[in-house]
């Protein structure tokens, strides 16, 4: 009987492993030598809505759902936030899933502003971090997440992407999802579940 | 007590169904199609699976079943979308060189009329694509549409030696929509099959960059569905103001999807700002998207007063639809210059006797010198 249980467990684990492998590591770039270089995301000098530093420990062994936004954004951020609230709610009891939203407007999005914005989502602070740093630092991190942002010419808005990135527990990018397309958000949730099998 | 709860529950349900029904009936066709398709696929009323195969350097994506139950004009029909990769198991560099979309039967074998294809769009994620090659300043500059195939132009190859470079596991996005201008009989089902041809990396290949240019016409935001006026005869009536509407630097509202009245009409639009050329480059391929009753779409160099290419749309004479739309392809290419002005000129002849909708776009594929420099340095693992 024990042997049968072991075999079944092994089959399940092998199945899970195969699923995780179907999510390729996407955090690689072509360096100045023309070679492919894989990297993991590293945070430096970011603070969350409680004023706490975001460190390697904060993201250790977490499946991270990450995006870039700003609180005064009139265009794509409100629907992005709605979708991210749904994602946070679906994984609310799973401590391995962490959402991180990075402001691209550090001048206006102070810790206090981020705190208020966070509270309006009704998602606990430990589940969804709203983080800020200098513009230079944020641009550097955005490049790691394979995106960028820039102010529009009239200064009323920023260009930034509607894409969400998914990191595995080793801080490798495992997926990109357009948050404005329902099918993509469904795929994101499915891929989070797949990645969870690799750490549970 | 229980019977009261039951009574109120039934009443509430009836009210909800009535309100929902009235809301649904007042929706435009395209929104009804979205709801119907979602219901069909969510509840498995029709085949809701994608069949994706990769064989002989061709990636084939066959869509879930799409139910065509009424006349669907352009941009109205049932549609599906999904992200995909050429080969998620490898990060090998490959070159996309050809595109094809076709309507097929639900048995996934028999060919159907391509009259049931409105358009098939293929996008890339510009963040992932450009960041990987350290071309971050390009992210967000243009809508990252790789190409679009549509009724009348369902298949094309880039000229020999040219392609669009992607890594096997790079994210691409497909959106495909049905069309039905003519069949009013019982509902029927179709699938779309999309084939992308690709080649392994070779140092001899040259990269193309896609830029979309399209005609936009001004409209009055206060009365979007009235006009045009004598003062502004080139004004259009947008099909709807929610999609394909844009603002120019003067705050004027423009629509890229508008109504054409019976008879002949000529439209022109300066597309220099859409091209955003930084340097001189060569144009190697043009795929054109038009709606029925369009006759020609011309790309013109205004500065030199020369025609670069006229795409000819051949309309069916016995039904509504485009039989063929000609495309441009040249390995040698045509020079485009950043200090020259360019325009699109559209000739329309609406012989239907009633109002029709119109779009006019060209997908221009330009030699991408900056990307080529990165590729020259690329070392295969």
């Amino acid at each position: 009987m024990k042997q049968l249980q072991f075999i079944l467990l092994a089959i399940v684990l092998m199945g899970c492993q195969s699923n995780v492998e179907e999510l390729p590591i996407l955090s690689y770039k072509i360096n100045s030598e023309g070679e492919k270089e894989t990297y993991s995301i590293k945070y430096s000098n970011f603070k969350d809505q409680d004023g706490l530093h975001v460190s390697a420990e904060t993201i250790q062994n977490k499946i991270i759902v990450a995006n870039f936004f700003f609180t005064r954004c009139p265009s794509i951020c409100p629907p992005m936030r709605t979708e991210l609230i749904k994602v946070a709610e679906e994984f609310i009891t799973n401590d391995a899933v962490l959402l991180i939203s990075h402001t691209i407007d550090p001048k206006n999005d102070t810790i206090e502003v981020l705190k208020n914005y966070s509270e309006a989502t009704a998602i606990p602070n430990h589940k969804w971090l709203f983080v800020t740093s200098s513009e230079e630092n944020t641009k550097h991190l955005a490049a790691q997440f394979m995106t960028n942002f820039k102010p529009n010419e009239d200064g009323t808005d920023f260009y930034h992407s509607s894409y969400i990135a998914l990191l595995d527990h080793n801080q490798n990018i495992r997926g990109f999802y357009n948050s404005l397309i329902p099918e993509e958000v469904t795929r994101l949730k499915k891929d989070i579940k797949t990645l969870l099998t690799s750490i549970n | 007590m229980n019977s009261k709860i039951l009574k109120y529950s039934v009443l509430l349900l009836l009210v909800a169904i009535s309100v929902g029904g009235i809301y649904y009936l007042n929706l435009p066709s395209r929104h009804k199609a979205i709801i119907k398709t979602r219901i069909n696929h969510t509840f498995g009323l029709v085949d809701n699976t994608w069949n994706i195969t990769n064989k002989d350097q061709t990636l084939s994506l066959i869509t879930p079943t799409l139910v065509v139950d009424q006349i669907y004009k352009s941009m109205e029909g049932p549609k599906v979308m999904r992200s995909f990769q050429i080969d998620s198991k490898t990060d090998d560099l490959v070159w996309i060189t050809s595109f094809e979309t076709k309507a097929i039967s639900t048995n996934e074998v028999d060919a159907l009329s391509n009259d049931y294809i409105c358009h098939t769009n293929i996008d890339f994620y510009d963040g992932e694509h450009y960041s990987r090659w350290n071309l971050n300043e390009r992210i967000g500059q243009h809508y990252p549409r790789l190409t679009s195939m549509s009724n009348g132009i369902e298949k094309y190859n880039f000229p020999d030696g040219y392609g669009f470079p992607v890594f096997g596991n790079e994210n691409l996005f497909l959106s495909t929509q049905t069309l039905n201008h003519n069949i009013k009989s019982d509902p029927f089902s179709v699938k779309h099959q999309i084939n992308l041809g690709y080649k392994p990396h070779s140092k001899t290949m040259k990269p193309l960059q896609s830029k979309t240019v399209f005609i936009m016409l001004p409209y009055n935001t206060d009365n979007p569905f009235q006009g045009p006026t004598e003062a502004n005869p080139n004004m259009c009536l947008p099909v709807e103001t929610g999609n394909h509407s844009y603002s120019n630097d003067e705050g004027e509202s423009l629509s890229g999807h508008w109504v054409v009245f019976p008879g002949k009409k000529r439209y022109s639009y300066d597309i220099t700002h859409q091209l955003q050329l930084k340097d001189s480059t060569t144009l190697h391929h043009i795929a054109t998207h038009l709606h029925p009753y369009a006759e020609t779409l011309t790309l013109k160099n205004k500065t030199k007063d020369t025609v670069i290419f006229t795409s000819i749309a051949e309309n069916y004479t016995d039904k509504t639809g485009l039989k063929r739309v000609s495309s441009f392809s040249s390995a040698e290419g045509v020079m485009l210059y950043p200090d020259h002005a360019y325009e699109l000129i559209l000739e329309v002849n609406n012989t239907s006797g009633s109002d029709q909708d119109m779009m006019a776009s060209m997908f221009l594929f330009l030699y991408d010198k900056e990307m080529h420099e990165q590729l020259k340095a690329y070392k295969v693992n």
Side-chain angles (χ1 to χ4, degrees):
Chain A
M1 188 62 189
K2 272 190 177 174
Q3 263 185 334
L4 182 66
Q5 281 178 340
F6 178 77
I7 291 166
L8 285 173
L9 183 66
I11 290 169
V12 168
L13 287 176
M14 279 164 67
C16 294
Q17 185 65 26
S18 144
N19 282 337
V20 173
E21 282 172 359
E22 279 171 19
L23 296 178
I25 291 176
L26 300 175
S27 39
Y28 63 90
K29 293 193 184 189
I30 310 306
N31 66 20
S32 54
E33 305 296 314
E35 292 163 345
K36 251 179 238 159
E37 199 171 274
T38 303
Y39 63 92
S40 54
I41 303 284
K42 289 185 176 55
Y43 279 87
S44 170
N45 293 320
F46 275 82
K47 280 185 177 177
D48 69 14
Q49 68 268 43
D50 288 323
L52 300 173
H53 278 283
V54 179
S55 63
E57 203 176 309
T58 316
I59 57 175
Q60 193 175 22
N61 277 325
K62 300 278 188 190
I63 306 297
I64 292 167
V65 177
N67 77 321
F68 288 78
F69 85 111
F70 64 109
T71 59
R72 297 180 307 152
C73 168
S75 51
I76 60 172
C77 300
M80 271 179 106
R81 187 174 84 148
T82 303
E83 294 305 323
L84 284 169
I85 288 172
K86 289 180 197 164
V87 173
E89 285 172 345
E90 184 154 342
F91 297 95
I92 200 87
T93 58
N94 196 323
D95 290 339
V97 178
L98 176 67
L99 281 74
I100 307 183
S101 292
H102 311 80
T103 178
I104 57 173
D105 186 15
K107 280 184 194 152
N108 290 294
D109 289 345
T110 60
I111 300 278
E112 192 185 357
V113 170
L114 292 177
K115 179 81 175 169
N116 290 335
Y117 193 83
S118 161
E119 283 171 359
T121 66
I123 302 294
N125 285 1
H126 67 272
K127 171 59 63 182
W128 192 349
L129 305 183
F130 291 88
V131 302
T132 181
S133 187
S134 65
E135 187 179 324
E136 188 187 350
N137 225 0
T138 310
K139 277 214 177 277
H140 179 69
L141 188 74
Q144 289 187 57
F145 274 105
M146 307 184 94
T147 187
N148 76 359
F149 57 89
K150 49 198 161 196
N152 286 348
E153 281 173 8
D154 62 3
T156 57
D157 200 348
F158 286 86
Y159 160 77
H160 64 106
S161 173
S162 60
Y163 273 74
I164 294 168
L166 176 64
L167 306 189
D168 66 14
H169 63 292
N170 292 318
Q171 294 84 54
N172 292 313
I173 299 173
R174 301 300 284 266
F176 294 106
Y177 312 84
N178 190 340
S179 61
L180 306 182
I181 297 173
E183 288 85 349
E184 287 280 273
V185 179
T186 304
R187 184 170 67 91
L188 166 66
K189 290 175 185 170
K190 179 175 162 277
D191 289 353
I192 293 172
K193 287 173 187 163
T194 301
L195 285 184
L196 281 170
T197 63
S198 66
I199 57 169
N200 286 340
Chain B
M1 184 65 185
N2 277 347
S3 71
K4 263 191 174 179
I5 291 173
L6 183 68
K7 200 161 71 180
Y8 283 120
S9 298
V10 170
L11 195 65
L12 203 65
L13 186 68
L14 287 174
V15 170
I17 290 170
S18 305
V19 171
I22 291 166
Y23 174 77
Y24 175 80
L25 289 172
N26 283 295
L27 287 173
S29 285
R30 61 189 287 266
H31 292 150
K32 281 182 187 164
I34 291 169
I35 292 172
K36 283 186 275 192
T37 305
R38 181 65 59 87
I39 290 171
N40 281 338
H41 291 168
T42 303
F43 295 104
L45 302 177
V46 295
D47 181 11
N48 57 9
T49 57
W50 288 78
N51 182 3
I52 302 176
T53 54
N54 195 339
K55 196 179 169 189
D56 301 332
Q57 296 179 357
T58 300
L59 181 75
S60 164
L61 301 104
I62 298 179
T63 67
T65 296
L66 298 160
V67 179
V68 181
D69 58 349
Q70 62 176 72
I71 294 291
Y72 286 113
K73 291 190 172 185
S74 296
M75 316 295 288
E76 289 185 349
K79 63 179 177 180
V80 284
M81 50 183 83
R82 69 162 292 148
S83 62
F84 68 98
Q85 295 153 327
I86 299 285
D87 183 356
S88 66
K89 292 182 181 64
T90 82
D91 57 6
D92 291 347
L93 183 64
V94 298
W95 293 76
I96 299 174
T97 55
S98 67
F99 306 89
E100 180 183 24
T101 185
K102 54 187 176 184
I104 58 172
S105 158
T106 52
N107 66 14
E108 301 188 357
V109 177
D110 300 332
L112 296 179
S113 164
N114 284 341
D115 289 358
Y116 307 129
I117 295 169
C118 176
H119 61 258
T120 300
N121 296 334
I122 296 170
D123 298 341
F124 58 99
Y125 172 36
D126 57 350
E128 183 184 11
H129 185 73
Y130 291 131
S131 179
R132 196 155 277 147
W133 293 100
N134 300 300
L135 298 170
N136 286 21
E137 71 287 352
R138 286 190 178 190
I139 302 170
Q141 269 190 344
H142 292 276
Y143 191 86
R145 176 138 300 160
L146 174 54
T147 194
S148 183
M149 292 161 277
S150 52
N151 185 219
I153 185 158
E154 299 100 0
K155 182 180 181 177
Y156 46 90
N157 294 14
F158 289 143
D160 282 347
Y162 289 88
F164 185 80
V166 295
F167 289 96
N169 55 18
E170 187 169 325
N171 288 282
L172 299 167
F173 193 80
L174 166 71
S175 168
T176 189
Q177 186 164 28
T178 52
L179 181 73
N180 176 29
H181 280 300
N182 300 292
I183 311 290
K184 292 179 182 168
S185 62
D186 292 340
F188 58 96
S189 295
V190 302
K191 287 180 175 233
H192 287 181
Q193 180 174 4
I194 297 91
N195 296 325
L196 266 72
Y198 64 92
K199 291 180 177 172
H201 174 55
S202 154
K203 285 279 183 192
T204 60
M205 291 292 286
K206 290 180 181 171
L208 294 174
Q209 180 184 19
S210 171
K211 290 202 174 179
T212 310
V213 294
F214 53 100
I215 289 187
M216 291 194 285
L217 298 171
Y219 68 89
N220 181 347
T221 42
D222 294 331
N223 292 300
F225 306 114
Q226 284 177 18
T229 63
E230 275 186 29
N232 192 354
N234 203 31
M235 194 178 95
C236 77
L237 306 187
V239 173
E240 60 173 275
T241 53
N243 290 313
H244 307 290
S245 280
Y246 310 86
S247 291
N248 62 14
D249 291 342
E250 286 77 46
E252 193 178 30
S253 291
L254 302 159
S255 179
H257 188 196
W258 70 96
V259 174
V260 291
F261 306 110
K264 291 190 175 189
K265 181 81 182 169
R266 185 178 195 264
Y267 303 91
S268 63
Y269 185 69
D270 190 311
I271 47 102
T272 313
H273 67 288
Q274 293 176 344
L275 270 175
Q276 289 185 43
L277 291 177
K278 274 201 309 187
D279 300 300
S280 301
T281 190
T282 41
L283 169 66
H284 293 276
H285 194 90
I286 301 175
T288 306
H289 173 76
L290 291 168
H291 287 190
Y293 305 107
E295 292 198 320
T296 60
L297 182 63
T298 298
L299 173 64
K300 186 177 168 185
N301 182 328
K302 276 174 85 174
T303 308
K304 288 169 72 178
D305 195 23
T306 54
V307 169
I308 295 170
F309 175 64
T310 295
S311 186
I312 297 166
E314 193 180 340
N315 284 264
Y316 286 107
T317 51
D318 56 343
K319 61 181 178 180
T320 301
L322 291 169
K323 195 173 181 181
R324 207 178 78 87
V325 179
S326 62
S327 60
F328 169 87
S329 191
S330 163
E332 184 188 355
V334 174
M335 284 300 296
L336 300 183
Y337 306 92
D339 56 344
H340 283 201
Y342 297 90
E343 75 175 342
L344 288 179
I345 301 162
L346 172 70
E347 300 279 355
V348 171
N349 184 11
N350 179 359
T351 55
S352 69
S354 59
D355 293 352
Q356 300 291 337
D357 64 283
M358 184 55 62
M359 291 178 88
S361 321
M362 278 187 172
F363 296 88
L364 308 182
F365 292 91
L366 313 174
Y367 168 59
D368 190 347
K369 187 180 176 188
E370 198 175 21
M371 177 66 87
H372 202 185
E373 292 304 317
Q374 303 289 326
L375 283 155
K376 282 176 188 169
Y378 175 66
K379 292 173 188 158
V380 180
N381 288 346

